[in-house]
Amino acid sequence: MSVLLYEWRRISTLRSTWILSGLALGQAVLILLLPLLLSVEFYQSTSTSLNDLIPITIVPIFIIFMSTIAGAAFGHDYRHGTIRTSLSLFPNRLELLFGRVTLVLLFTTFVYAMTVFALIFTVWAWSSATGGFDWTTFAPAFIRALLYMTIYNLGVLAIVMLTRIQALGIVVPLMMTLAVEGIVTLILSSRYPWISDYMPYSQGINWAIGSMYESTSDYTSITSVFTSIPLPFLGFNVTLFLIAIWLFHRRDAS
Amino acid sequence: MRVECIGLGKSFGSKRAVNDLSFVLEPGVVTGFLGPNGSGKSTTLRLMLDLDRGDGETLFDGKPLTEYSSISRVVGTHLDAKLFHPQRTARSHLRMLAAESRVSDERVDEIIEYIGLKDVAKKRAKTFSLGMAQRLGLAGAVLADPKVLLLDEPANGLDPATIHWLRDFLRQYAAMGRSVLVSSHLLSEMELMAERIIVISKGELLANESVNDFIKRNQSFALAVRVDLPDSLQSILANRGIDVQRDGDLLKVNMDSPRELGNLCFENSIRVWELYEERGSLEQTFLELTSQSEEYKIGGV
């Protein structure tokens, strides 16, 4: 598939891709390493499982770097007008779209996997935690974070494709997660007590992180991870992405 | 490869930018694409490539572009001098484009050297001057040796030597049986470069013919002659019903053949001091043709 080779050369020849990937991995390792070096009890307890240490350092900040890479996929093309170059090489727009989305998601998955390996190595090298590493309980947490990142990034890609502004793709989901949904819930929850159940990004982050603190909690199998994806989070981002595909296919490349 | 544009059209809101535009690009010919600012040239090029969604269709040897598997071997495009990511190096940019049709790295390096970018191949494109950026765009367009070239203002920002090179290159490229469409505002350059021209204004087709025919069609007098007896020659020509205009001892004559006019002077014992074809320029003809339909007129000086 020449579109995948094109996309690989596009993403891999940008310095920002590697800087963001390095920062994502570096910050995760640092967040884990600091309490280890400071001998924080939980991190050095012999009863603490390695499973407990690794996932909690992954999602919150890591996703910002990965969403910046995802946002740049179309953001750079729109900012520099190179969408015309891309589409004159691939006039079948769906081919370009799916090639690009596939490669971005594969690349962010690769960075995520590398980061997790780096964290496992860090724990192995620096921690006295001997609670063991159990893949059967770690895998659901690993896949849950990966799914969260993938769905989140679909939303990022969609917002950039809809608005043609890279910054909005990065900022809007972040603001929704950190502030907007919380404020909306605060204002409306007395009248609509169920409102918080329908806040997509809050549901998403709770699902991804909340249970990660308890790696042996409800999500003990990979199947349970897939069946537990919060529908508001999945539905909102997938719907946004489908609208973006439709518009990308219809409108002018400028 | 024969390129056929059929009924291209595009509106931006209530403004009709391109209206029912049809023309054919024949292989082996450099075709100039002319029009005043805002006449719809760039929009037409984008419509041809399906970058803008509009009416009509463009067929490349009878098929739309989407039916070809390796697009950059069919059509090479250069739509804007700055269509690259500023952080990417020239070589990385070309390698990225090469991926679409699996063009080898050796070919990328060959093009870089051919187009004169070898010394800056590993520099970021943001450091490039307009001329260097144009070269990079041209390199991208010809990288996969396409059968059709669509170039939008490729000579802007180029130095005279490079413009000369571009002219020769495009003529040679067309001579190998390829179709070349070049839009440009450099009319004197276009006159030397193109064999045919397509002129549009306000999105409508004004002319589609050879450069010579275009100039002749809008020219009243074909020959100019300076003689010792201008009064006599003027009356001889007038008696034969030939249009003639006097400017001192210079006569402008509406005849096609210099030989015929020379013979006429000889037969009437009139000495000819100077005889030449009064060739109008493309620029002059273009300005006359588009003066009525120019959309964004500039004030007089």
Side-chain angles (χ1 to χ4, degrees), chain B residues 281-300:
Chain B
S281 69
L282 179 62
E283 182 174 83
Q284 187 188 345
T285 315
F286 172 80
L287 291 173
E288 280 169 18
L289 186 68
T290 58
S291 61
Q292 297 307 311
S293 54
E294 197 173 353
E295 190 162 18
Y296 305 105
K297 283 190 178 174
I298 196 161

Side-chain angles (χ1 to χ4, degrees), chain B residues 6-255:
Chain B
I6 307 161
L8 297 181
K10 174 76 181 167
S11 297
F12 294 107
S14 60
K15 184 177 183 289
R16 191 74 178 153
V18 176
N19 189 34
D20 196 22
L21 201 56
S22 299
F23 56 85
V24 172
L25 304 180
E26 295 290 353
V29 176
V30 177
T31 305
F33 195 28
L34 306 179
N37 285 340
S39 59
K41 298 189 298 295
S42 297
T43 306
T44 303
L45 290 175
R46 290 200 301 271
L47 284 168
M48 289 174 75
L49 296 164
D50 214 14
L51 294 174
D52 278 5
R53 299 302 203 193
D55 309 324
E57 62 177 343
T58 303
L59 302 176
F60 296 78
D61 267 354
K63 289 195 289 187
L65 210 47
T66 46
E67 287 190 18
Y68 287 92
S69 58
S70 181
I71 304 300
S72 54
R73 293 192 192 277
V74 176
V75 57
T77 61
H78 173 49
L79 301 179
D80 192 323
K82 295 282 182 179
L83 279 190
F84 47 70
H85 193 289
Q87 295 291 342
R88 197 173 273 126
T89 67
R91 188 171 187 275
S92 296
H93 173 74
L94 292 176
R95 281 191 75 240
M96 182 185 80
L97 302 183
E100 191 272 331
S101 50
R102 305 291 175 106
V103 171
S104 67
D105 285 357
E106 289 74 29
R107 168 70 177 166
V108 170
D109 293 331
E110 184 187 306
I111 283 289
I112 284 172
E113 188 160 358
Y114 181 65
I115 212 107
L117 292 175
K118 193 179 177 187
D119 293 342
V120 292
K122 291 183 180 171
K123 288 197 171 170
R124 296 186 194 286
K126 69 175 180 181
T127 63
F128 284 14
S129 66
L130 179 58
M132 300 293 262
Q134 289 282 22
R135 287 181 191 216
L136 181 57
L138 284 169
V142 299
L143 188 63
D145 200 17
K147 293 171 182 159
V148 179
L149 271 184
L150 302 181
L151 310 175
D152 196 2
E153 306 278 354
N156 273 4
L158 295 181
D159 56 54
T162 313
I163 290 178
H164 187 266
W165 171 87
L166 178 67
R167 183 201 311 154
D168 291 346
F169 172 77
L170 292 180
R171 294 189 87 142
Q172 278 177 30
Y173 202 81
M176 289 188 283
R178 278 72 171 261
S179 311
V180 179
L181 181 68
V182 192
S183 100
S184 179
H185 283 119
L186 301 175
L187 296 172
S188 54
E189 194 50 48
M190 191 62 83
E191 194 171 349
L192 296 170
M193 192 186 289
E195 291 157 63
R196 290 188 67 81
I197 53 163
I198 293 166
V199 183
I200 65 169
S201 186
K202 291 183 180 172
E204 306 261 4
L205 187 71
L206 294 186
N208 178 8
E209 57 198 327
S210 76
V211 174
N212 285 337
D213 288 348
F214 177 71
I215 293 170
K216 274 186 183 169
R217 185 159 65 88
N218 296 284
Q219 188 180 354
S220 310
F221 298 97
L223 299 175
V225 62
R226 200 182 299 275
V227 294
D228 60 344
L229 301 169
D231 294 332
S232 303
L233 182 57
Q234 188 174 8
S235 61
I236 292 165
L237 290 169
N239 289 339
R240 291 181 176 222
I242 298 168
D243 282 346
V244 61
Q245 193 181 66
R246 178 108 182 244
D247 182 8
D249 57 356
L250 183 75
L251 298 178
K252 290 186 175 178
V253 185
N254 192 12
M255 284 176 75

